[in-house]
Amino acid sequence: MHYWIQASSSDFIGPLPQPRSGHTAVLIGKSKVVIFGGLVGKKFLSDIFVYDIENKLWFQPDCSGNGSDGQLGPSPRAFHVAVSIDCHMFIFGGRSGAKRLGDFWVLDTDIWQWSELTSFGDLPSPRDFAAASSIGNRKIVMYGGWDGKKWLSDVYVLDTISLEWIELSVIGALPPPRCGHTATMVEKRLLVYGGRGGGGPIMGDLWALKGLIEEENEASGWTQLRLPGQAPSARCGHTITSGGHYLLLFGGHGTGGWLSRYDIYHNDCIVLDRVSAQWKRLPTGGDPPPARAYHSMTCVGSRYLLFGGFDGKSTFGDIWWLVAEGDPIIKRLTASSPRNLSENKEADDNDLSANKETQQEDFAINELQRRVEFSLSFSSSGLQIVDEFEDRELLELAERLTGYKVSNSGQDIQAVREHWRKSSQRSLPLKELGPLLRDYQRLIARSHLADVGADACTVGSASLEKNIHHFYHTKNASQLRMDDISKLLAEYKQLSSN
């Protein structure tokens, strides 16, 4: 069990970094976290903030430097790559305004000095949204990105001693080109997950690249991994952080569905367990941070440090801890002020009233189950929009229709929606009413959020599909009458064809 704790002023001393997204944060040894660059509004940044782990101190170092044009350090940028080797932080590429960058810098964090590097060999083209990782304590591997015209799928290896780049010649099948993905070196393999691909789709595939370790004498090649467990939904702009025997994936944004013009941002935690080689949902307590992408997540001892990011509207400057059970900081969650007697009595009365309502609803559900002989789930906590890949009945139906296990591509879900578009009241099995109703509400909610996010007009809560879509506030299929089914199907078909 892990817990989210928002950092407080008592956790640190010194000036905190200003809000930003698209920045980088690297861990130097076990002593400090170095944050560089990013974007806030339309302003690209080139500042450095350092978190001294032992002293719990934030500070801005006074850096010297030597660039080819006389500048002291890299120009402002975001969506670049940054990798630490010993006490050095290497920076490549990124974006400044509409320009993709291809310059190469190193920061010596012992003396806080920037140097622009003149590299050799097969030089990578300028790009942003690439991903990179260290290989041992000498080399860096970089994969993919966006050069302003096309998505990339090339692999470059840099020797940080000779400063020579080598474009890796990879045999066999290649992953689709992408940007906004993650690339994490795990022992002898580079693991690449997600990203936005050619033509714009957001992906949820996992690939492993071998042949990066010279001593192994392996031919370079990609393998797509299909691991069991609760895999994350397709996304980009997420982070993957190594911690012990597992990798922790957090946040990012994914498609809002084929009806939506806008993306859905995430704040879930998924673990890739390296021992059992499967995906797992990380159980968390406490109020989670708001959903976001293009943030940074750094492993600091036994804790994770989350900073910044963007949710499609706002740029974040908040700092969060994700800590394991037993961490003393968890005591903050249990510290609460006592409530007075009148508040407790009012709460008790509300609980009694809600309990009576729940009993009545449970009786209606049980009666419907007895008559139609199919299982229904009910929650008295109000309407909750469930993601497609969390909807167990929907996934089971997709597997029955397609004949194979559901992937993260979303094509299987579209097969279910096409099935319902072709269904009639007579042909629709009653056991499909539950997942159909949830998908109907899912499409409405995403369409509504897209309209609000566009800021094109103000949509009042009273207009939230209450009149146009009659079943948006229906909590469960048990509340549907037989003559409602044809109306629900007609409205669903209209929604899914818009």
Side-chain angles (χ1 to χ4, degrees):
M1 188 74 177
H2 282 66
Y3 294 87
W4 283 110
I5 311 287
Q6 185 164 10
S8 71
S9 57
S10 62
D11 292 336
F12 315 114
I13 55 176
L16 300 181
Q18 71 180 97
R20 66 192 67 204
S21 66
H23 57 284
T24 51
V26 301
L27 182 67
I28 303 293
K30 296 181 180 179
S31 63
K32 50 185 174 273
V33 177
V34 180
I35 291 175
F36 169 71
L39 174 69
V40 56
K42 295 182 179 180
K43 182 182 179 183
F44 289 82
L45 306 173
S46 61
D47 54 352
I48 288 181
F49 278 84
V50 181
Y51 176 54
D52 182 324
I53 297 171
E54 182 178 355
N55 297 308
K56 300 180 180 178
L57 166 69
W58 284 98
F59 68 95
Q60 286 188 274
D62 186 13
C63 294
S64 60
N66 181 22
S68 59
D69 293 331
Q71 69 269 40
L72 295 180
S75 59
R77 68 192 63 206
F79 313 117
H80 51 282
V81 297
V83 177
S84 62
I85 300 284
D86 287 331
C87 65
H88 298 96
M89 177 176 70
F90 291 86
I91 297 287
F92 177 80
R95 183 203 298 179
S96 183
K99 182 182 179 182
R100 273 78 192 176
L101 304 172
D103 52 346
F104 183 35
W105 291 79
V106 63
L107 175 66
D108 185 331
T109 66
D110 280 346
I111 59 175
W112 299 112
Q113 182 175 3
W114 282 108
S115 298
E116 185 173 8
L117 301 177
T118 302
S119 48
F120 308 94
D122 306 321
L123 301 182
S125 59
R127 64 190 66 198
D128 57 8
F129 295 106
S133 183
S134 60
I135 307 174
N137 207 34
R138 175 168 174 168
K139 294 186 177 182
I140 294 172
V141 56
M142 181 174 71
Y143 168 72
W146 166 252
D147 69 1
K149 295 181 180 179
K150 61 181 181 298
W151 286 265
L152 305 170
S153 60
D154 46 7
V155 180
Y156 286 89
V157 176
L158 169 73
D159 187 316
T160 61
I161 304 299
S162 66
L163 298 182
E164 182 181 11
W165 289 95
I166 296 176
E167 183 174 4
L168 204 64
S169 178
V170 182
I171 61 173
L174 300 177
R178 67 192 64 207
C179 67
H181 51 287
T182 50
T184 312
M185 199 69 190
V186 179
E187 296 175 356
K188 302 175 184 178
R189 302 287 186 265
L190 181 73
L191 296 186
V192 168
Y193 178 78
R196 189 184 292 273
I202 294 177
M203 297 177 286
D205 50 350
L206 177 67
W207 292 78
L209 175 63
K210 67 177 183 178
L212 295 169
I213 310 297
E214 289 183 5
E215 295 77 11
E216 297 296 320
N217 291 321
E218 287 183 310
S220 301
W222 288 100
T223 302
Q224 185 171 4
L225 304 180
R226 293 179 173 85
L227 302 184
Q230 295 177 292
S233 58
R235 65 189 67 196
C236 65
H238 54 285
T239 52
I240 288 185
T241 312
S242 182
H245 68 275
Y246 58 80
L247 303 176
L248 174 66
L249 183 151
F250 173 77
H253 65 102
T255 178
W258 60 281
L259 283 177
S260 176
R261 304 187 303 274
Y262 298 92
D263 287 343
I264 300 297
Y265 287 77
H266 301 289
N267 62 351
D268 49 352
C269 292
I270 301 100
V271 165
L272 197 165
D273 191 313
R274 294 163 54 184
V275 176
S276 60
Q278 63 178 314
W279 294 104
K280 298 177 180 178
R281 298 278 167 172
L282 184 70
T284 59
D287 293 330
R292 65 192 68 198
Y294 308 109
H295 51 280
S296 62
M297 180 85 99
T298 316
C299 190
V300 179
S302 61
R303 297 175 174 177
Y304 293 90
L305 181 68
L306 168 67
F307 169 68
F310 180 70
D311 69 352
K313 296 179 183 178
S314 304
T315 301
F316 293 102
D318 50 351
I319 300 176
W320 292 75
W321 297 111
L322 180 63
V323 301
E325 203 162 10
D327 192 298
I329 203 173
I330 296 175
K331 293 178 182 177
R332 286 187 202 166
L333 293 177
T334 59
S336 58
S337 58
R339 301 166 64 189
N340 61 46
L341 291 177
S342 63
E343 289 176 328
N344 286 334
K345 183 179 185 304
E346 183 179 350
D348 291 342
D349 292 342
N350 290 338
D351 288 343
L352 286 173
S353 175
N355 195 32
K356 288 180 181 179
E357 184 180 348
T358 299
Q359 290 175 353
Q360 293 172 352
E361 289 169 332
D362 285 346
F363 175 80
I365 292 167
N366 292 333
E367 180 65 16
L368 182 61
Q369 287 175 331
R370 183 185 66 78
R371 289 197 314 230
V372 302
E373 298 181 345
F374 74 96
S375 176
L376 293 168
S377 60
F378 181 80
S379 170
S380 61
S381 60
L383 181 64
Q384 294 186 0
I385 305 301
V386 182
D387 186 82
E388 290 95 330
F389 295 98
E390 300 284 344
D391 193 331
R392 181 178 54 81
E393 289 180 286
L394 181 70
L395 297 181
E396 290 175 354
L397 177 57
E399 290 182 12
R400 287 200 305 270
L401 290 174
T402 61
Y404 51 84
K405 189 171 179 61
V406 174
S407 69
N408 288 326
S409 67
Q411 294 178 351
D412 317 278
I413 305 301
Q414 298 306 326
V416 177
R417 290 171 176 157
E418 182 63 24
H419 158 72
W420 282 331
R421 283 195 292 270
K422 295 178 179 178
S423 296
S424 65
Q425 179 181 354
R426 292 179 177 273
S427 66
L428 182 71
L430 285 176
K431 62 183 179 181
E432 291 182 20
L433 277 179
L436 171 65
L437 177 63
R438 289 192 295 274
D439 201 51
Y440 163 90
Q441 293 164 339
R442 188 181 298 123
L443 296 179
I444 294 172
R446 288 178 179 170
S447 174
H448 173 68
L449 288 174
D451 290 339
V452 173
D455 284 331
C457 59
T458 302
V459 183
S461 60
S463 70
L464 180 58
E465 326 307 341
K466 217 170 188 179
N467 300 319
I468 303 172
H469 303 295
H470 299 86
F471 308 103
Y472 180 79
H473 296 281
T474 302
K475 291 183 178 179
N476 194 277
S478 66
Q479 297 176 333
L480 296 171
R481 300 187 300 264
M482 291 304 293
D483 58 349
D484 288 335
I485 298 176
S486 60
K487 296 179 184 177
L488 174 63
L489 263 177
E491 290 186 17
Y492 182 89
K493 292 174 182 180
Q494 179 65 35
L495 270 171
S496 60
S497 62
N498 284 342

